């Protein structure tokens, strides 16, 4: 697509090539949300990045202070009129508002501007709808779409035109009877929830098999575009798509991770987090996020070169807390990624800070710091294990073989008919090991259930 000096579009290429949707991005800065640590310019850049993630043609982007939010339109009359003029001059078909909108506000703004309007939640859902590749990912995204749309069955234009409903937000007519839509959406949500429950059961079986095989799980989490997928590829030698794009990957991936001293673990990568992540997405991705809540080690990947890295880290920790992962109660290792983008002075500061905070400074792009990261992961996993001395009969080959398969033998000495072992016993194998050694088994503790809405 090409834009000439007058702002009109000229199509190039094949006759069937579709032009990108022309969009305007608005960031309302509401007085009630001044506690947000981010600068408006950074938040606006992120909103534009979200629009770019689904190949929208952003023709204008601006920050708009909102002192007194209007229940009907959020913005005052003057702002609404100004945006109307800008939208008409730019032939904008879509206006994105990086702020929650009520159904009434959305409807009124669409009427005033003569263009479709998406709020932040709808935009993120649209991105997720394009990113989901697996059946599981598609189910979770569909659940989030339906939950969001169920409360927004209002007339978008007139009684003769489209009702809000269906799958996407950017096109396609839907049903014309709101009550019929509500019933259909409710039925569809029920079917999707049943399918997602089957996914959860399948994942539970897989986790149980990994537990039997003494394979700890290391879950990568982080703000979107922090470099998780690049790091995943570097650690696991895999080829998961990684691009400099918000939410470049969505579907969860599990691969074997080889640790320095011969031990293996399962490395898990899943969707990146973002500020104000919609609650409906947290609920919909319950099956995926359980991999994080039940992981033996959570690796928090940060883009340490980003000017708002601290605010991004707070957003990730907030989302982790929402799903039941509290850093004080769960082993969390911070990885400061993109060290190759730091200048020498900042790099020295980051190195000192990482040492003080127990973080690991790496570059997933160049491989710098990866050996140190693998050692740190191995050490953190070892913290969840119990070291015990054991003496067994040399003739008890079955028990000896079981211990070698299910524990880590740190030291062994043979004396006549006995074998003295120093064992590192994984948490998941402690009860079984003690029972086989004839030692008292501690009472099982009931794990706290994470909050997953």
């Amino acid at each position: 697509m090409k834009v000439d000096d007058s702002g009109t579009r000229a199509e190039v290429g094949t006759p069937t090539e579709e032009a990108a949707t022309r969009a305007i991005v608005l960031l309302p800065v509401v007085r009630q949300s001044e506690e947000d640590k981010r600068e408006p310019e950074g938040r606006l850049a992120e909103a534009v990045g979200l629009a770019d993630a689904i190949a929208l043609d952003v023709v204008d982007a601006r920050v708009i202070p909102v002192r007194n939010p209007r229940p009907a339109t959020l913005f005052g009359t003057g702002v609404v009129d100004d945006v109307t003029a800008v939208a008409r001059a730019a032939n904008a078909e879509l206006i994105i508002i990086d702020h929650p909108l009520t159904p009434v506000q959305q409807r009124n703004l669409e009427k005033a501007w003569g263009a479709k309007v998406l709020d932040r939640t709808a935009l993120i859902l649209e991105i997720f709808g394009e990113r989901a590749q697996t059946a599981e990912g598609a189910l979770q995204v569909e659940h989030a779409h339906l939950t969001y749309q169920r409360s927004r069955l209002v007339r978008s234009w007139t009684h003769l035109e489209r009702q809000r409903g269906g799958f996407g937000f950017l096109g396609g007519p839907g049903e014309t009877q709101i009550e019929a839509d509500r019933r259909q959406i409710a039925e569809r949500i029920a079917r999707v929830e049943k399918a997602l429950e089957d996914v959860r059961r399948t994942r539970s079986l897989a986790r149980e098999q990994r537990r039997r095989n003494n394979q700890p799980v290391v879950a990568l989490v982080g703000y979107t575009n922090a470099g998780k997928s690049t790091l995943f590829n570097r650690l696991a030698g895999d080829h998961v798509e990684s691009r400099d794009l918000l939410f470049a990957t969505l579907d969860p991936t599990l691969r074997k991770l080889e640790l320095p001293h011969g031990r293996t673990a399962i490395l898990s990568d899943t969707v990146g987090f973002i500020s104000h992540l919609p609650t409906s997405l947290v609920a919909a991705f319950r099956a995926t996020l359980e991999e994080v809540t039940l992981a033996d080690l959570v690796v928090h990947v940060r883009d340490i070169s980003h000017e708002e890295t601290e605010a991004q880290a707070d957003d990730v920790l907030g989302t982790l807390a929402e799903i039941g992962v509290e850093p004080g109660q769960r082993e969390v290792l911070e990885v400061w990624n993109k060290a190759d983008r730091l200048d020498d002075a900042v790099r020295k500061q980051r190195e000192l800070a990482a040492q003080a905070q127990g973080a690991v400074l790496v570059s997933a792009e160049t491989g710098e710091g990866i050996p140190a990261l693998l050692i740190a992961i191995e050490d953190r996993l070892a913290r969840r294990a119990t070291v015990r001395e054991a003496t067994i009969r040399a003739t008890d080959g079955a028990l000896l073989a079981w211990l070698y398969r299910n524990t880590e033998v740190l030291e062994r000495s043979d004396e006549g008919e006995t074998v003295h072992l120093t064992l590192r016993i994984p948490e998941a194998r402690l009860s079984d090991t003690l029972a086989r050694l004839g030692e008292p088994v501690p009472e099982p503790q009931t794990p706290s259930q994470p909050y997953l809405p």
Side-chain angles (χ1 to χ4, degrees):
M1 184 193 66
K2 183 178 178 182
V3 182
D4 63 23
D5 294 337
S6 64
T8 59
R9 288 174 294 171
E11 301 301 326
V12 295
T14 61
T16 58
E17 182 182 351
E18 291 187 5
T21 300
R22 296 169 65 84
I24 294 173
V25 177
L26 305 179
L27 172 67
V29 179
V30 183
R31 185 170 51 189
Q32 286 87 332
S33 57
E34 287 178 349
E35 70 276 5
D36 197 318
K37 297 180 181 179
R38 300 172 184 275
E39 292 296 325
E41 291 75 15
R43 292 167 55 196
L44 181 63
E46 181 177 272
V48 172
L50 289 171
D52 289 339
I54 50 174
L56 296 176
D57 179 13
V58 178
V59 295
D60 198 309
R62 56 185 65 189
V63 175
I64 300 180
V66 179
R67 295 183 178 179
N68 298 302
R70 303 290 181 88
T73 56
L74 179 63
F75 305 107
T77 304
V79 171
V80 173
D81 292 343
D82 289 345
V83 174
T84 300
V86 172
R88 288 175 180 171
N91 292 324
E93 307 159 75
L94 174 67
I95 298 178
I96 295 167
I97 300 178
D98 192 46
H99 190 275
L101 291 178
T102 67
V104 170
Q105 289 171 339
Q106 186 173 13
R107 178 193 62 194
N108 290 340
L109 290 175
E110 286 184 339
K111 287 182 177 180
W113 291 335
K116 293 176 185 176
V117 174
L118 299 186
D119 65 2
R120 183 179 179 85
T121 297
L123 178 59
I124 293 175
L125 289 173
E126 196 70 31
I127 297 169
F128 276 43
E130 288 200 2
R131 293 288 185 271
Q133 300 296 321
T134 66
E136 175 188 344
L139 278 173
Q140 294 178 120
V141 172
E142 181 180 354
H143 186 277
H145 269 290
L146 293 171
T147 302
Y148 177 81
Q149 292 169 2
R150 180 168 53 183
S151 64
R152 293 178 176 263
L153 292 173
V154 295
R155 282 178 166 78
S156 298
W157 303 90
T158 70
H159 70 285
L160 296 177
E161 293 193 6
R162 176 172 73 90
Q163 303 297 319
R164 190 162 298 281
F167 279 88
F169 302 96
L170 300 182
E175 294 289 336
T176 56
Q177 296 179 351
I178 293 177
E179 289 304 323
D181 281 355
R182 287 198 179 113
R183 286 194 298 271
Q184 290 176 6
I185 287 178
E187 292 169 0
R188 198 159 192 161
I189 287 176
R191 290 196 299 271
V192 171
E193 287 178 344
K194 183 178 183 301
L196 284 174
E197 189 60 34
D198 292 339
V199 170
R200 293 188 63 206
R201 280 196 294 269
T202 301
R203 283 189 173 275
S204 296
L205 292 173
R207 279 194 295 268
E208 179 60 24
Q209 183 61 45
R210 293 196 295 269
R211 190 191 70 81
R212 290 198 202 98
N213 294 337
N214 188 26
Q215 289 184 303
V217 175
V218 178
L220 297 181
V221 301
Y223 205 83
T224 181
N225 212 26
K228 281 192 309 90
S229 295
T230 304
L231 182 61
F232 182 91
N233 291 338
R234 177 70 65 174
L235 293 174
D238 206 6
H239 299 287
V240 173
E241 180 183 12
S242 58
R243 291 184 288 160
D244 187 14
L245 188 69
L246 297 177
F247 297 118
T249 54
L250 174 61
D251 294 298
T253 310
L254 300 175
R255 293 292 185 271
K256 181 184 288 188
L257 174 65
E258 301 285 349
L259 295 173
H261 295 93
R263 193 179 182 188
T264 62
I266 299 298
L267 187 64
S268 169
D269 183 24
T270 187
V271 61
F273 297 159
I274 197 168
S275 63
H276 309 299
L277 188 67
T279 302
S280 56
L281 273 180
V282 177
F285 277 75
R286 180 178 179 180
T288 297
L289 293 174
E290 276 184 344
E291 294 292 341
V292 178
T293 63
L294 300 175
D296 298 274
L297 174 64
V298 176
V299 175
H300 177 193
V301 183
R302 291 175 53 180
D303 177 359
I304 204 63
S305 69
H306 199 285
E307 60 184 9
E308 295 186 335
T309 182
E310 295 295 338
Q312 291 181 351
D314 289 343
D315 288 329
V316 171
L317 294 177
T319 303
L320 288 176
E322 185 179 350
I323 65 175
V325 178
E326 296 284 355
Q329 303 171 2
R330 183 67 54 86
E331 196 71 36
V332 177
L333 172 63
E334 278 206 355
V335 175
W336 294 0
N337 190 28
K338 304 190 182 181
D340 55 301
R341 300 188 180 185
L342 302 175
D343 60 40
D344 292 340
V346 175
R347 183 187 183 85
K348 284 292 184 185
Q349 295 175 357
R350 296 302 191 191
E351 287 175 349
L352 293 174
Q355 292 174 4
Q357 298 178 36
V360 183
L361 186 66
V362 307
S363 168
E365 187 68 31
T366 66
E368 175 193 351
I370 297 302
L373 172 58
L374 288 170
I375 292 173
I377 290 174
E378 193 170 54
D379 288 346
R380 293 297 184 98
L381 290 175
R383 294 182 187 179
R384 295 177 59 87
T386 301
V387 177
R388 291 269 182 146
E389 304 289 333
T391 301
I392 65 174
R393 296 191 304 275
T395 56
D396 195 347
L399 175 58
L400 191 61
W402 189 92
L403 291 173
Y404 269 93
R405 286 196 310 270
N406 294 277
T407 70
E408 185 179 355
V409 179
L410 301 177
E411 190 175 333
R412 170 177 174 165
S413 62
D414 294 66
E415 298 180 4
E417 297 182 356
T418 61
V419 178
H420 300 285
L421 301 172
T422 301
L423 306 173
R424 180 180 284 139
I425 308 169
E427 186 178 37
R429 281 283 176 261
L430 183 59
S431 296
D432 288 347
T433 303
L434 294 179
R436 288 174 183 270
L437 293 174
E439 297 185 25
V441 179
E443 290 291 329
Q445 296 182 354
T446 303
S448 59
Q449 294 298 319
Y451 168 69
L452 290 172

